Amino acid sequence: RNWLKQYPEYEEVFKGKEITKTVYAAFEKNNRLVSFTPVSSIGWAATAGKSEGDVVRPILISIAKSALLFLSVSFAAFFIALAVSRKIANPLTELSAHALAIGHGERPRQITLDDILEFQNLAEAFNAMAEKVEARETALRESEKRWAVTLASIGDAVIATSTGGRITFLNKVAE
């Protein structure tokens, strides 16, 4: 009967209910995880308990191992991703700068990218494009010179205007 005062859970157990809970064990000065089970044939209750630390410690160790593994894999993945991104970002930056230079009418140097085959192919395509642009610009300048010489040497007055009516060319006779 004294146990009913100290452990009120027994009242529920004697009614036929199984209970599991954490109880303070004064003799250990610690919490225990205890299971109460009725033994209805004799009107008693059976209990079994274990120190809370004994139960929780292996769980915490397991969680700590898993957390350490997770952190290790996460850091490894981060550094691999960083290395890969640099290996990709640097050639892309160089290709972008090359394309902008061509777009601004500059004659950029030939680029060579040795690391990744796809970037090598892109670099070769950019270099070929730059050569074609330069060849076309040279051909256009030569053609403009030829037409300018031809128009300047005609014996009649030649005046060329823009669609807005501005004079863009006139030969000596027209002057």
Side-chain angles (χ1 to χ4, degrees), residues 81-132:
L82 185 65
V84 168
S85 72
R86 285 193 180 161
K87 197 164 185 86
I88 292 172
N90 291 343
L92 286 177
T93 302
E94 194 170 339
L95 287 171
S96 176
H98 191 71
L100 287 172
I102 292 170
H104 291 298
E106 300 169 12
R107 292 187 178 143
R109 60 172 173 68
Q110 295 271 322
I111 57 173
T112 55
L113 303 172
D114 299 328
D115 294 343
I116 300 172
L117 179 64
E118 288 81 2
F119 288 139
Q120 291 171 0
N121 293 341
L122 277 173
E124 289 170 8
F126 271 75
N127 291 333
M129 179 179 64
E131 288 173 10
K132 286 179 183 176

Side-chain angles (χ1 to χ4, degrees), residues 111-168:
I111 57 173
T112 55
L113 303 172
D114 299 328
D115 294 343
I116 300 172
L117 179 64
E118 288 81 2
F119 288 139
Q120 291 171 0
N121 293 341
L122 277 173
E124 289 170 8
F126 271 75
N127 291 333
M129 179 179 64
E131 288 173 10
K132 286 179 183 176
V133 167
E134 188 174 336
R136 288 181 181 149
E137 285 177 354
T138 304
L140 181 61
R141 272 192 232 97
E142 288 174 4
S143 174
E144 285 177 354
K145 281 182 189 175
R146 234 184 357 260
W147 285 110
V149 169
T150 302
L151 290 174
S153 63
I154 292 178
D156 296 327
V158 177
I159 300 173
T161 61
S162 68
T163 56
R166 293 187 142 185
I167 296 175
T168 57

Side-chain angles (χ1 to χ4, degrees), residues 42-56:
I42 57 174
W44 285 13
T47 62
K50 197 166 191 177
S51 170
E52 190 176 48
D54 292 344
V55 174
V56 173

